[in-house]
Amino acid sequence: MEASLASNRSVKLNFYMYYFLVFFGIGALSPLLSVYLRDDIGLSGSQIGMVLSISPVVMILIQPVWGIISDATKKPVTLLTIALVMTAVMGIVFSAVSSYALIIAAAGILAVFQAALIPLSDSISINYVQKTKMDYGSIRLWGAVGFAVSVLAVGKLSEMTGLSVIFYTFTFVMGIGAIFAWQLPRESNSIKVSFKKGMGELVKAPSYFLFLVIAFLILGPILANNFYFGIFIDDLGGGLAGIGLAFMLAAGSEAPVMKFANRWIRKFGMKQILLLAAAVSTLRWFLYFLEPPIGLVYATTIAQGFSTGLFIPAALQYVKDLAPVSAGATAIGLYSAVGNGLGNWFCTLLGGFILEFYSVFAVYFFFGCLSLAAVILLLFVKQKRTA
């Protein structure tokens, strides 16, 4: 019995450290990458948008391939470890290139391997928690902690040593993460889902497709903000340390809100929570368009908790409610592809052109307009039962 408990504690520690390190690495690179490309490399706004938009496109195309390979080999841990090692290697390669063409190539190859990290590790985690009756949220929470710690620490480190440190930190942390990934449980219980059959069921729920448009309009700006927020803070005079502080405050506000999200959904209703999250996003983006004082920006970063922290759990539950039970997996997969993939790509790419021809503040006006459209569309989505 004691040996079993010790083994469970060891597995939990591996999960905690894996998520902490991987999201620490993401937090080291993503928030400051746009600043690096502009200030150190000298790329234009449209070029930056093109580089940053590669990742969401690759996610749409390559994530299913990793899933197919994992199903075929039944070795998700091995694939995850390989992907982490190659992700770490590509971090150094990225730091060594300076021409636009080579940066595009490096970003594309990096995205191919990085696209495997979250879906494979989430699959491993879900299989484990279903077997042990453990709380998945208690595992994934360490990712949020890692990201919040990273953006503050690496922001300060970049200010002291230079922006190229983001790549060295990324490579080092991902390499250490591979050690913990290799020690994750090797159980693999793949669930086969027919996409064609699932889509046949979804066409019977037209409100679901309206909600996909809403997810595109809300999640696109939220995710693209991760790339442009650093430039926004820098242009307001916050500096690299200020960028880290702003990201830490924003990321740190999500976990407490997520903790109470289900309770608020049951109390106020799913649609009301979604409207609140969309409205908060809209107001935040329009505020940033007005070039507010840096102190006000820091104070309002907690709005991310009430937008992202509420929208993501509420939207997932809403999708499950809108879709027929037999098409649940397909519905969630399509929702993720549209919101996290297409929406992110569209806003990141177009945001780059707006940045080049206007300003980063105009980018946030664009985000605000999209989010406002989502608020209006939400009024026409029918109310579903709460969780």
Side-chain angles (χ1 to χ4, degrees):
M1 183 66 177
E2 289 184 4
S4 177
L5 290 174
S7 176
N8 285 338
R9 283 195 295 268
S10 176
V11 172
K12 288 180 183 179
L13 178 61
N14 283 329
F15 272 120
Y16 297 158
M17 289 302 299
Y18 167 82
Y19 276 102
F20 179 88
L21 290 166
V22 167
F23 279 88
F24 190 103
I26 293 172
L29 184 62
S30 296
L32 291 171
L33 182 56
S34 59
V35 182
Y36 168 82
L37 293 174
R38 184 184 70 168
D39 295 352
D40 283 23
I41 302 299
L43 297 188
S44 66
S46 58
Q47 289 175 324
I48 293 171
M50 185 65 70
V51 173
L52 299 180
S53 67
I54 289 174
S55 180
V57 171
V58 169
M59 182 183 74
I60 298 170
L61 299 175
I62 300 298
Q63 276 188 349
V65 176
W66 283 107
I68 292 169
I69 297 173
S70 177
D71 286 342
T73 61
K74 306 297 183 185
K75 294 182 178 181
V77 170
T78 301
L79 290 173
L80 179 62
T81 305
I82 292 171
L84 264 170
V85 170
M86 291 307 299
T87 296
V89 170
M90 286 309 301
I92 289 296
V93 172
F94 205 134
S95 71
V97 298
S98 56
S99 72
Y100 179 54
L102 289 178
I103 289 173
I104 287 286
I109 298 172
L110 172 62
V112 167
F113 292 106
Q114 196 171 341
L117 303 187
I118 303 306
L120 285 181
S121 55
D122 279 354
S123 175
I124 295 167
S125 303
I126 290 171
N127 285 334
Y128 179 76
V129 299
Q130 288 177 342
K131 176 183 175 183
T132 61
K133 309 300 181 184
M134 186 181 172
D135 180 17
Y136 169 74
S138 66
I139 293 177
R140 189 64 184 266
L141 171 65
W142 286 93
V145 173
F147 188 91
V149 172
S150 174
V151 291
L152 181 61
V154 178
K156 290 184 176 180
L157 188 61
S158 298
E159 198 161 66
M160 292 186 295
T161 64
L163 278 167
S164 59
V165 75
I166 64 177
F167 297 103
Y168 306 135
T169 304
F170 177 81
T171 292
F172 175 76
V173 172
M174 290 299 190
I176 299 298
I179 297 174
F180 288 95
W182 181 249
Q183 300 176 71
L184 294 177
R186 281 169 162 73
E187 296 90 346
S188 179
N189 301 316
S190 301
I191 300 175
K192 301 295 183 181
V193 178
S194 170
F195 181 79
K196 183 178 179 181
K197 181 179 179 181
M199 285 300 298
E201 293 293 324
L202 285 177
V203 295
K204 303 173 184 176
S207 287
Y208 167 77
F209 291 96
L210 176 59
F211 191 72
L212 286 185
V213 177
I214 293 168
F216 177 95
L217 295 170
I218 291 293
L219 290 177
I222 284 175
L223 295 170
N225 172 63
N226 290 333
F227 296 120
Y228 293 109
F229 195 45
I231 292 177
F232 172 74
I233 295 294
D234 195 39
D235 282 2
L236 286 176
L240 299 181
I243 293 171
L245 175 61
F247 267 100
M248 186 202 71
L249 292 172
S253 69
E254 293 179 20
V257 174
M258 282 186 174
K259 183 178 181 180
F260 295 101
N262 285 336
R263 185 183 305 177
W264 292 341
I265 289 169
R266 288 193 296 269
K267 183 176 181 179
F268 299 107
M270 191 84 68
K271 185 173 179 177
Q272 286 69 28
I273 293 299
L274 288 169
L275 277 167
L276 173 62
V280 170
S281 279
T282 302
L283 292 173
R284 184 187 180 196
W285 305 144
F286 280 135
L287 173 66
Y288 290 174
F289 164 64
L290 298 176
E291 303 182 38
I294 190 70
L296 181 58
V297 173
Y298 290 144
T300 57
T301 52
I302 60 172
Q304 184 159 313
F306 290 92
S307 56
T308 309
L310 285 179
F311 188 84
I312 289 177
L316 281 171
Q317 183 60 48
Y318 203 68
V319 166
K320 289 177 64 178
D321 285 350
L322 283 171
V325 174
S326 59
T330 302
I332 292 174
L334 188 57
Y335 156 79
S336 178
V338 170
N340 299 330
L342 284 176
N344 188 0
W345 166 79
F346 176 77
C347 292
T348 301
L349 181 62
L350 201 55
F353 284 96
I354 296 173
L355 174 66
E356 179 173 348
F357 292 105
Y358 297 98
S359 69
V360 72
F361 307 108
V363 172
Y364 283 97
F365 179 77
F366 168 59
F367 290 172
C369 290
L370 294 182
S371 300
L372 178 60
V375 171
I376 296 170
L377 288 177
L378 265 171
L379 298 174
F380 295 94
V381 174
K382 63 181 180 180
Q383 175 74 58
K384 296 294 289 187
R385 67 185 182 277
T386 56

